[in-house]
Amino acid sequence: MTTATEASTTAHVQSAIGAYAQALDADRVDDLVELFWPDGVAEIAGVGTFEGHEAIRAGYAGFSPTRPQLHLVANTVVTSVTGDEASAVSNLAFFQRDESGWAVRLVGRYDDVLRRRDGEWRFQRRVTTFLP
């Protein structure tokens, strides 16, 4: 049985994950950076590991969309909740639109650790991997 605290944590985790996808697709890098703690880490397989706000901002600034795009995140499961820390795993499908319509460009997975400080949940570590 899920407790009210677990349900609340799950809602906060899912909200952060959704906000990340929305910010990334809308090229709102500053909003995306604010979803991480100042000492947070974003690791993207084959691209790099960005630690801290300035490194995350610089890393994601290189991903500015050149055409309409959409990150669909699904099947999010909060795998662990311990006090002020939660872990989650999600599936990812990345779509881009060109002259022939929308197409899946890649699929992958997010492995997340979020922490709560002063009542606010943010990413401590996000690892993005891609499936062949």
Side-chain angles (χ1 to χ4, degrees):
M1 177 179 235
T2 302
T3 68
T5 301
E6 290 170 330
S8 175
T9 297
T10 297
H12 286 287
V13 167
Q14 290 175 333
S15 180
I17 290 169
Y20 172 94
Q22 295 283 331
L24 190 56
D25 290 337
D27 197 26
R28 295 189 329 263
V29 175
D30 288 337
D31 292 347
L32 184 143
V33 169
E34 288 303 313
L35 293 168
F36 287 84
W37 288 110
D39 61 345
V41 176
E43 180 181 333
I44 303 171
V47 175
T49 299
F50 312 108
E51 187 168 345
H53 276 178
E54 291 311 310
I56 292 169
R57 181 175 285 106
Y60 280 89
F63 297 138
S64 291
T66 57
R67 55 186 147 174
Q69 67 180 36
L70 183 64
H71 286 78
L72 291 182
V73 183
N75 305 326
T76 298
V77 176
V78 176
T79 57
S80 171
V81 177
T82 309
D84 290 333
E85 184 172 293
S87 298
V89 61
S90 305
N91 293 331
L92 156 71
F94 173 66
F95 296 79
Q96 277 188 318
R97 190 178 75 203
D98 59 22
E99 51 282 340
S100 62
W102 288 96
V104 176
R105 298 296 181 214
L106 60 85
V107 295
R109 173 182 166 139
Y110 291 130
D111 288 283
D112 297 314
V113 174
L114 293 95
R115 290 217 173 110
R116 177 177 53 195
R117 295 181 192 155
D118 300 324
E120 192 172 347
W121 287 92
R122 294 185 188 184
F123 293 101
Q124 185 62 50
R125 182 173 198 87
R126 166 159 267 202
V127 177
T128 306
T129 55
F130 305 108
L131 302 175

